[in-house]
Amino acid sequence: MSKKRVFISFAIEDKSLRDFLVGQAKNENSPFEFVDMSVKKPWDSAWKTNCRKRIKGCDGVLVIVTKNTKKADGQLWEIKCAKEEEIPLRGVWGYKDDRPTSLPKELDGVRVVNWTWDNIENWINSL
């Protein structure tokens, strides 16, 4: 089975969570595999064009949801872009005990689940 191409959308303040997820997937005990297509550094003024190309080339977009998401303009744009391109989205709570009380409108209709291997694996396998 080939690896799925997954774009990881995250607030820059939550970069360590993205790094953890990528590392988790490389663990030999990990039940899931994917190719990380997230934006690792800011682009010039054409970043939205470049970002859209990456998102369009992915099987899905995994959104790391934290209290920072609501104010993360780039992340919110990525979510909107994925919806426009009809790329499947799944949210995972970045922190078990620190969840925002409300989600931004961009996440309307996006299922947000606990960050577990089973939840991530099942979603990736469904792509």
Side-chain angles (χ1 to χ4, degrees), residues 5-22:
R5 295 168 65 95
V6 175
F7 186 97
I8 303 171
S9 179
F10 61 97
I12 196 65
E13 297 87 352
D14 299 320
K15 182 180 180 304
S16 62
L17 291 174
R18 185 210 59 97
D19 294 346
F20 180 72
L21 180 63
V22 171

Side-chain angles (χ1 to χ4, degrees), residues 93-112:
W93 295 113
Y95 298 100
K96 183 178 178 183
D97 299 323
D98 184 18
R99 296 183 181 174
T101 54
S102 65
L103 296 175
K105 67 179 179 357
E106 288 82 357
L107 283 170
D108 287 353
V110 176
R111 185 169 175 214
V112 182

Side-chain angles (χ1 to χ4, degrees), residues 21-127:
L21 180 63
V22 171
Q24 188 178 21
K26 292 178 182 175
N27 184 321
E28 69 179 52
N29 295 328
S30 174
F32 56 87
E33 289 185 306
F34 61 87
V35 178
D36 173 28
M37 296 295 290
S38 62
V39 178
K40 296 169 188 73
K41 59 184 177 184
W43 280 308
D44 58 17
S45 59
W47 82 268
K48 285 185 178 179
T49 302
N50 292 326
C51 190
R52 184 176 295 275
K53 285 180 190 173
R54 281 193 177 209
I55 289 171
K56 283 174 69 170
C58 288
D59 298 297
V61 173
L62 188 64
V63 181
I64 298 175
V65 181
T66 71
K67 63 184 179 194
N68 298 314
T69 299
K70 193 176 284 191
K71 294 181 182 175
D73 292 339
Q75 182 181 27
L76 296 175
W77 183 88
E78 292 165 354
I79 295 164
K80 184 176 174 249
C81 176
K83 285 182 169 184
E84 289 170 357
E85 298 298 339
E86 300 182 357
I87 305 298
L89 286 147
R90 175 64 41 99
V92 292
W93 295 113
Y95 298 100
K96 183 178 178 183
D97 299 323
D98 184 18
R99 296 183 181 174
T101 54
S102 65
L103 296 175
K105 67 179 179 357
E106 288 82 357
L107 283 170
D108 287 353
V110 176
R111 185 169 175 214
V112 182
V113 298
N114 291 328
W115 183 325
T116 67
W117 280 13
D118 283 346
N119 284 340
I120 295 170
E121 177 188 25
N122 290 337
W123 178 71
I124 289 173
N125 288 340
S126 76
L127 297 173

